[in-house]
Amino acid sequence: MEASKFGFGSNTPPAFVFNPTDADIVAHYLLPRALGLHNPHAHAIIEDDPCSAPPWEVLKRHGHEDSDHAFFFGPPTDASSRTVRGGVWQRRKGNGYEDTVTLVHPAGGREVDIRHRRHELAFSVANRECEHAGYVMHEYEIVSPPLPGTVLTRIKVHKNAYRPPAADAGGADGQQADLQVPGPEQPGPSQEHDPATNGDGFAGAQDGALYDRR
C-alpha cells in the first residue's frame, strides 16, 4: 500500500509502498515497542484494538477503507477466537509460525537473536455461507528473550473481501465512522524509498534502536 497512507509524507509518490516483511515488523516496530524505546516511525502503527469492531469498520475508522493492509498495537490476548459485532476472528490450527531475526547493536556490534511467533486468524461474517470473508489477521509477539504483553497486529484484506451494505458500513447506529488519517508531514522510512536506508530497506539506529543484520 502507498507509504503516504501510513504517514510517510503526503508528497510521497504512489509507487513507494509500505509493505514490511515479518523481519522488518519485528525489528523496527515490535521490538522497540516491547523495550519502551523511542521510535520516530511509530506513526505507521495504529493505536487501537483491531477486534473492537468488524475489520471493515476498524480500517475505515483510520482512513484505510481502501487499503490492502493496516497495522495495530492493541491489547494482548490468548483467546483462539474473538467475537465482534457481525462475525468472529478464528485462529487457524497450530501454535503459530516461529522464526528468528538476528540483530546487531550499532554500538559495539553485539548480536542478539530475537525469536518471534506469528499467529494467523481469519474473519467469518455471521449468517453467511462462505467460511471466510477475505480478512486475515497476523499477530506478532516476541517469545525469546521473553517480552510478554506486546502484540503487533496486521490485518490483510483480499481484493474480493466482503463489504457490508452501505447502510451498515458506518457502524451499528448507521453513522459514518470518523476518519483518523495520519499526519501527512510526518517523516519516516518505507522499505523502498527512504534515503536514510541507503537502499537496504533499514533506517539508521536512533535512541538505542537495533539494526537488522543481513
Side-chain angles (χ1 to χ4, degrees):
M1 196 65 205
E2 294 93 338
S4 59
K5 296 280 285 186
F6 299 88
F8 291 110
S10 59
N11 295 324
T12 304
F16 294 152
V17 300
F18 181 67
N19 188 26
T21 65
D22 284 2
D24 295 336
I25 290 170
V26 172
H28 299 297
Y29 297 95
L30 180 59
L31 183 60
R33 174 67 169 240
L35 295 176
L37 298 176
H38 171 65
N39 185 354
H41 316 304
H43 55 75
I45 314 298
I46 298 165
E47 297 280 351
D48 196 5
D49 181 358
C51 295
S52 61
W56 52 86
E57 287 188 20
V58 174
L59 294 168
K60 184 176 182 179
R61 183 188 303 164
H62 298 283
H64 284 283
E65 182 179 11
D66 298 323
S67 300
D68 52 19
H69 63 203
F71 302 83
F72 300 84
F73 278 126
T77 176
D78 293 327
S80 60
S81 65
R82 299 88 187 267
T83 301
V84 303
R85 173 173 39 80
V88 59
W89 285 104
Q90 184 68 48
R91 184 176 289 179
R92 294 183 173 173
K93 293 181 180 180
N95 295 322
Y97 166 79
E98 291 194 7
D99 200 1
T100 299
V101 180
T102 300
L103 307 176
V104 56
H105 198 283
R110 185 173 63 90
E111 295 183 1
V112 59
D113 289 337
I114 305 298
R115 188 77 177 170
H116 63 92
R117 180 181 295 124
R118 186 190 74 195
H119 286 294
E120 185 171 311
L121 300 89
F123 189 78
S124 298
V125 178
N127 302 320
R128 295 189 79 241
E129 293 183 359
C130 65
E131 182 179 358
H132 299 304
Y135 298 89
V136 175
M137 177 184 291
H138 290 160
E139 293 182 326
Y140 299 85
E141 60 180 340
I142 295 172
V143 296
S144 179
L147 293 171
T150 303
V151 176
L152 192 155
T153 298
R154 178 181 198 168
I155 294 180
K156 301 185 72 173
V157 185
H158 191 272
K159 64 179 180 179
N160 295 321
Y162 170 79
R163 305 286 183 179
D168 299 330
D173 57 2
Q175 296 180 358
Q176 184 178 7
D178 293 334
L179 299 182
Q180 299 177 12
V181 182
E185 301 306 324
Q186 291 176 292
S190 84
Q191 269 181 231
E192 287 79 5
H193 77 275
D194 195 296
T197 66
N198 296 319
D200 64 3
F202 299 97
Q206 299 190 30
D207 295 339
L210 300 172
Y211 280 142
D212 190 355
R213 181 179 175 87
R214 286 190 167 182

